[in-house]
């Protein structure tokens, strides 16, 4: 057996967290990513720059071992660019509530997309940046040996991440729809673990297609583990921002810790948001999700052991590091 999540969380929370956070803060991004981030930072309401260093530093831990050592740098760049792209799209809906610009940006991954420079109803500068990020990502992937073979799969999985943003926006309008089953089916794709795995596959010399279904079963478990880590790191902030698409919030609704009628009060009363945060802390919702994480980890281990031609041990162990990073990045990612 691998990780015991209780021991893992206890070790992380009792460790020298400032040293770990400082090492992430001091991480250097490659110039090609730094230039895009500098442009993104100029927009109002941009994310904490810590996020991009956090992502770039973390990506090697969820890269499959079949990626050749001399291509890991490219994979790292591609995954970071993918994160920047989906974050810009997420900003359009989550931060700006700008459905028209989001809908236009959502077309970018499709090969036939051409931006209309005369459209006045969209945030054109941010839209141009999203297009440049995607183009840079495609330029990086163009050198991958199996890029064209896996490109349709990559586009599909990126579209699932785009649809996850749509689903979160839908819950914002109709929170009474919230249920954990649909949340896991739709919103979990926001963390892009399938798209990241597609990038790895593009750099794979020759993964037998017989292993592809098993690999994607593994990625589903890893995606849920990453989503849980993100939920644990962000649910308190999201309640304060009246974003009700977080797993712990939906869990609280289904367990009777929070009612659907209370959601409207949360929108109107900032002090009540703090009261609800304290209520869910007292109910230890984090523990419920760490237990779910443990179940996904054990299934991931089982699936990895059944892969016939590759060693996925490092990928499985890397998901422990992903959880550590989410705990360290709480409040900043």
């Amino acid at each position: 057996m691998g990780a015991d999540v209780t021991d893992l969380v206890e070790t992380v929370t009792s460790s020298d967290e400032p040293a770990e956070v400082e090492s992430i803060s001091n991480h250097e991004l490659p110039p090609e990513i730094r230039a895009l981030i500098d442009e993104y930072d100029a927009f109002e309401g941009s994310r904490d720059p810590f996020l991009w260093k956090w992502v770039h530093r973390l990506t090697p831990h969820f890269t499959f071992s079949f990626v050749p050592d001399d291509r890991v740098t490219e994979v790292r760049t591609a995954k970071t660019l993918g994160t920047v792209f989906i974050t810009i799209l997420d900003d359009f809906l989550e931060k700006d509530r700008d459905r028209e610009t989001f809908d236009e940006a959502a077309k970018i991954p499709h090969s036939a997309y051409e931006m209309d420079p005369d459209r006045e109803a969209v945030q054109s500068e941010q839209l141009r940046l999203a297009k440049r990020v995607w183009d840079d990502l495609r330029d990086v992937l163009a050198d991958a040996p199996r890029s064209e073979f896996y490109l349709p799969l990559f586009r599909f999985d990126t579209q699932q991440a785009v649809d996850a943003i749509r689903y979160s926006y839908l819950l914002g309008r109709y929170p009474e729809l919230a249920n954990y089953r649909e949340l896991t089916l739709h919103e979990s794709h926001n963390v892009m673990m399938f798209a990241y795995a597609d990038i790895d596959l593009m750099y794979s010399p020759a993964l037998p297609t017989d292993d592809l279904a098993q690999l994607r079963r593994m990625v589903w478990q890893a995606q849920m583990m990453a989503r849980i880590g993100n939920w644990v790191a962000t649910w308190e902030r999201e309640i304060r921002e009246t974003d009700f698409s977080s797993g712990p919030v939906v869990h609280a609704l289904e367990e009777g810790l929070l009612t659907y009628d209370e959601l409207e009060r949360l929108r109107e009363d900032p002090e009540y948001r703090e009261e609800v945060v304290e209520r869910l802390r007292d109910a230890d919702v984090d523990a419920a999700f760490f237990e779910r994480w443990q179940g996904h980890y054990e299934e991931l281990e089982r699936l990895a052991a059944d892969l016939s031609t590759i060693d996925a041990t490092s990928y499985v162990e890397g998901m422990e590091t992903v959880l550590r990073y989410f705990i360290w990045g709480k409040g900043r990612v």
Side-chain angles (χ1 to χ4, degrees), residues 27-34 37 49 52-53 56-57 80:
H27 181 70
E28 291 291 330
L29 292 171
E32 63 271 23
I33 296 177
R34 180 70 262 168
I37 296 304
W52 315 115
K53 297 180 178 185
H56 189 261
R57 188 177 171 91
T80 305

Side-chain angles (χ1 to χ4, degrees), residues 304-333:
D306 288 342
L307 276 172
S308 61
T309 57
I310 67 169
D311 181 3
T313 304
S314 62
Y315 186 83
V316 175
E317 293 175 348
M319 295 312 300
E320 299 177 38
T321 302
V322 170
L323 181 59
R324 291 188 185 96
Y325 265 58
F326 274 118
I327 295 172
W328 286 325
K330 188 169 185 176
R332 301 192 69 179
V333 298

